[in-house]
């Protein structure tokens, strides 16, 4: 019997006696925080970049978009590289490249150099993010009820702390730009990523793939990276070009074809870049659908809130960032509660409760009229945050539980990709709807009405996520769950009903 033929529970697992779980978790959470911070921190500095370097609006948009394109396009590949080459080594390499790209961005003297630096940052982030989640799965295994409870707590901490990165980015970006200049929004990453790279060999297990290492399928890598990058590019430009334009339809068709060819190749490959067997897990399928749908709402809504507080309420960029803090704080609170709830209730119940809270917050927020922040936004933001924390932790648990350790990187890459694609699609669709709402309103109320339309439309993917949770997530809390484990569909080998 070969290693891969053995039951999952019987397979030998790598031991790391000197790994301290708390210290390892702190490092992995810090890496996620850094990536979320970086996705927002540079945006605040763009006006200063335009002023000092004399960049055009097109160049300025590419400085922001290059990171998103590279990050979203290479996530699946980044997750699998850790499975094939050793997760700790790939994680450290990603941090080193991220630090080098940040240094290059801080020293850049032209827009093309900044665009290149942002693209390389995105490539590094596409490696760091899924590999960090896969390493967390190694440090916190789920073989026993006690271990699974520990993993859920770790995922709750990850969700709570990483969620603060985006808000902190707006705050830190404004502060650093005002005090030290736009270059500091890049340079601040260098010591942070460097320290993380130095600490990783001491705090993290090697996380290499058990058994034989497969060959790297260059064709599959080219297909998935090309297809995903092109898809993100199409979604980012769909609002400006038009959903029925030749650009959107033509490039969208090419992206879809590349991704279909990628899936077909995975079905016949001896060493697939994305093992399709992971999709036999019902809970994993549900987790990815919910992750995509909820990110169609949360990312764009935060974007519109930032614009609304500045354009309608007259907040500064720094004050607008602070105005989002209640969302982050309540996400932190409910993320902590999620682990406790998942020990007592089914994933479906916790997920549904979080989604309904989220939808209620959006419906309340839809009533914005340009009045005081404290009366019109604070309450809805708290509801959105409370629901969001429950949802984020639950879909992460659902999307990573009961999997063979050799597929941890792939599953993490798929889950992160679902979130990025959902956010890109949501922003494209809701921006279009906001424009339609503005066009149908009176001139003085056009911008406000556009934001109201977009926020109301964001309720639709949240309600679709409720349906997805009802279809795919387990609806009963097993005895193991009451002992500290959510009924995540356990392992396919042990519970055939959870796989097909």
């Amino acid at each position: 019997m070969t290693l891969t033929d053995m039951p999952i529970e019987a397979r030998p697992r790598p031991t790391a006696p000197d790994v301290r779980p708390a210290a390892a978790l702190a490092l992995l959470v810090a890496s996620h925080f850094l990536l979320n911070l970086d996705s927002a921190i540079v945006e605040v500095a763009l006006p200063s970049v335009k002023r000092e370097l004399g960049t055009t609006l097109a160049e300025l948009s590419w400085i922001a978009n290059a990171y998103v394109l590279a990050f979203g396009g290479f996530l699946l590949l980044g997750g699998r590289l850790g499975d094939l080459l050793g997760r700790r080594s790939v994680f450290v390499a990603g941090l080193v490249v991220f630090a080098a790209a940040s240094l290059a961005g801080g020293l850049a003297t032209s827009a093309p150099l900044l665009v290149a630096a942002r693209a390389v940052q995105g490539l590094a982030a596409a490696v760091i993010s899924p590999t960090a989640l896969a390493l967390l799965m190694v440090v916190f295994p789920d073989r026993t009820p006690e271990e699974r409870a520990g993993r859920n707590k770790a995922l709750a901490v990850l969700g709570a702390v990483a969620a603060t990165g985006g808000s902190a980015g707006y705050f830190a970006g404004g502060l650093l730009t005002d005090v030290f200049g736009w270059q500091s929004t890049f340079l601040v990453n260098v010591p942070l990523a460097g320290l993380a790279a130095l600490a990783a060999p001491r705090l993290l297990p090697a996380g290499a793939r058990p058994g034989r290492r497969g060959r790297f399928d260059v064709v599959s890598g080219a297909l998935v990276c090309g297809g995903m990058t092109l898809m993100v590019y199409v979604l980012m430009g769909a609002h400006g070009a038009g959903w029925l334009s030749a650009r959107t339809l033509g490039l969208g068709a090419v992206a879809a074809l590349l991704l279909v060819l990628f899936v077909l190749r995975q079905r016949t490959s001896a060493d697939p870049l994305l093992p399709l067997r992971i999709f036999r897990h019902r809970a994993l399928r549900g987790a990815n659908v919910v992750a995509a749908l909820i990110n169609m709402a949360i990312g764009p809504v935060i974007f519109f809130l930032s614009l609304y507080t500045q354009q309608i309420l007259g907040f500064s960029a720094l004050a607008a960032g602070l105005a989002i803090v209640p969302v982050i704080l309540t996400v932190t609170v409910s993320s902590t509660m999620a682990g406790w709830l998942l020990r007592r209730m089914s994933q479906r119940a916790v997920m549904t409760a979080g989604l309904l809270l989220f939808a209620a917050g959006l419906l309340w927020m839809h009533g914005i009229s340009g009045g005081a922040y404290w009366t019109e936004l604070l309450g809805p933001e708290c509801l959105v945050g409370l629901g969001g924390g429950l949802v984020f932790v639950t879909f992460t648990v659902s999307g990573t539980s009961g999997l063979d350790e050799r597929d941890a990187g792939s599953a993490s890459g798929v889950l992160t990709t679902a979130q990025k694609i959902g956010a890109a699609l949501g922003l494209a669709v809701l921006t279009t709807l906001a424009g339609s709402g503005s066009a149908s309103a009176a001139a003085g109320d056009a911008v406000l009405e556009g934001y109201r339309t977009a926020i109301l439309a964001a309720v639709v993917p949240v309600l679709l996520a409720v349906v997805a949770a009802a279809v795919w997530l387990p609806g009963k809390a097993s005895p193991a769950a009451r002992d500290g484990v959510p009924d995540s569909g356990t392992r396919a080998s042990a519970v055939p009903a959870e796989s097909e």
Side-chain angles (χ1 to χ4, degrees):
M1 177 182 291
T2 66
L3 181 66
T4 55
D5 292 330
M6 295 173 64
I8 293 173
E9 300 287 3
R11 290 180 191 167
R13 300 175 67 96
T15 58
D18 8 341
V19 171
R20 293 170 292 168
L25 177 62
L27 175 59
L28 296 173
V29 166
S31 71
H32 268 273
F33 178 86
L34 178 62
L35 298 184
N36 288 346
L37 178 81
D38 194 70
S39 65
I41 192 171
V42 175
E43 293 183 18
V44 182
L46 290 179
S48 295
V49 173
K50 184 177 186 300
R51 195 165 50 248
E52 291 188 24
L53 298 185
T55 58
T56 65
L57 287 177
E59 290 172 331
L60 210 61
S61 68
W62 273 109
I63 293 171
N65 293 340
Y67 181 87
V68 179
L69 278 174
F71 196 174
F74 286 79
L75 270 167
L76 287 177
L77 177 61
R80 194 57 173 168
L81 282 178
D83 293 340
L84 294 174
L85 305 178
R87 294 177 193 122
R88 187 177 67 191
S89 299
V90 171
F91 178 73
V92 171
L95 288 169
V96 171
V97 172
F98 189 82
S102 299
L103 179 61
L107 299 178
T109 55
S110 68
L113 291 176
L114 268 181
V115 171
R118 285 295 279 169
V120 176
Q121 279 184 320
L123 291 175
V127 170
I128 297 168
S129 180
T131 307
L133 184 54
L135 281 165
L136 185 146
M137 295 165 65
V138 174
V139 175
F140 296 91
D142 64 347
R143 296 166 296 188
T144 66
E146 293 77 15
E147 287 180 340
R148 295 177 199 176
R151 176 184 285 188
N152 292 346
K153 292 178 182 177
L155 289 173
V157 173
L158 180 72
V161 176
T164 66
S167 179
Y170 288 108
F171 175 80
L175 183 63
L176 289 172
T177 301
D178 288 344
V179 177
F180 300 107
W182 65 264
Q183 294 87 347
S184 62
T185 62
F186 285 88
L187 297 176
V188 70
N189 295 326
V190 178
L192 298 177
L195 288 173
L198 290 174
R202 297 172 174 81
L203 301 180
L204 299 177
R209 177 184 176 183
R212 177 179 62 88
R213 290 188 181 185
R215 64 182 180 84
F216 180 76
D217 188 343
V218 176
V219 175
S220 292
L223 287 172
V224 70
C225 292
M228 291 300 301
T229 303
L230 193 56
M231 183 63 71
V232 174
Y233 176 74
V234 168
L235 293 175
M236 288 169 57
H239 171 63
W243 287 93
L244 299 179
S245 66
R247 174 194 180 279
T248 301
L249 295 179
L251 293 180
V254 173
L257 176 61
L258 291 174
L259 293 176
V260 168
L261 292 175
F262 168 72
V263 172
L264 292 176
R265 186 171 179 86
Q266 304 317 290
R267 293 173 64 91
T268 58
S269 175
D271 284 298
L273 197 60
L274 176 62
L276 299 182
R277 60 178 173 267
I278 67 176
F279 294 105
R280 291 198 295 262
H281 294 256
R282 289 179 58 202
L284 181 143
R285 295 200 301 270
N288 281 278
V289 172
V290 171
L293 288 169
I294 195 67
N295 276 275
M296 285 182 66
I298 184 63
V301 166
I302 295 296
F303 171 77
F304 286 119
L305 280 179
S306 178
L307 293 178
Y308 170 78
T309 52
Q310 292 180 71
Q311 294 182 350
I312 305 297
L313 300 186
F315 286 13
S316 66
L318 188 58
L322 291 174
I324 309 298
V325 168
V327 178
I328 307 305
L329 292 178
T330 47
V331 164
T332 303
V333 171
S334 62
S335 296
T336 305
M337 293 169 51
W340 181 86
L341 290 172
L342 285 168
R343 292 197 297 271
R344 291 158 177 80
M345 301 166 62
S346 70
Q347 286 184 26
R348 185 188 301 169
V350 177
M351 181 73 82
T352 301
L355 290 168
L356 292 178
L357 282 171
F358 197 102
L362 292 180
L363 289 172
W364 187 0
M365 190 181 294
H366 166 251
I368 54 175
S369 62
Y373 168 84
W374 305 104
T375 58
E376 289 195 349
L377 277 183
L378 182 59
E381 284 186 348
C382 290
L383 276 185
V384 166
L386 287 172
L390 296 180
V391 173
F392 297 150
V393 173
T394 305
F395 75 58
T396 306
V397 170
S398 301
T400 57
S401 296
L403 292 170
D404 190 333
E405 186 182 304
R406 60 185 169 151
D407 297 327
S410 294
S412 302
V414 169
L415 188 62
T416 310
T417 300
Q419 296 177 64
K420 295 301 178 184
I421 292 297
L425 177 59
L427 186 58
V429 171
L430 295 183
T431 300
T432 300
L433 292 174
S436 301
S438 298
S440 62
D445 300 326
V447 175
L448 175 60
E449 189 58 35
Y451 295 153
R452 286 167 53 91
T453 300
I455 291 170
L456 182 61
V459 177
V460 175
V462 179
L463 296 180
L464 290 176
V466 174
V467 176
V471 171
W472 280 301
L473 295 190
K476 295 181 180 179
S478 66
R482 290 190 292 270
D483 290 337
V485 187
D487 183 14
S488 59
T490 54
R491 305 184 190 280
S493 58
V495 187
E498 287 300 327
S499 59
E500 299 172 354

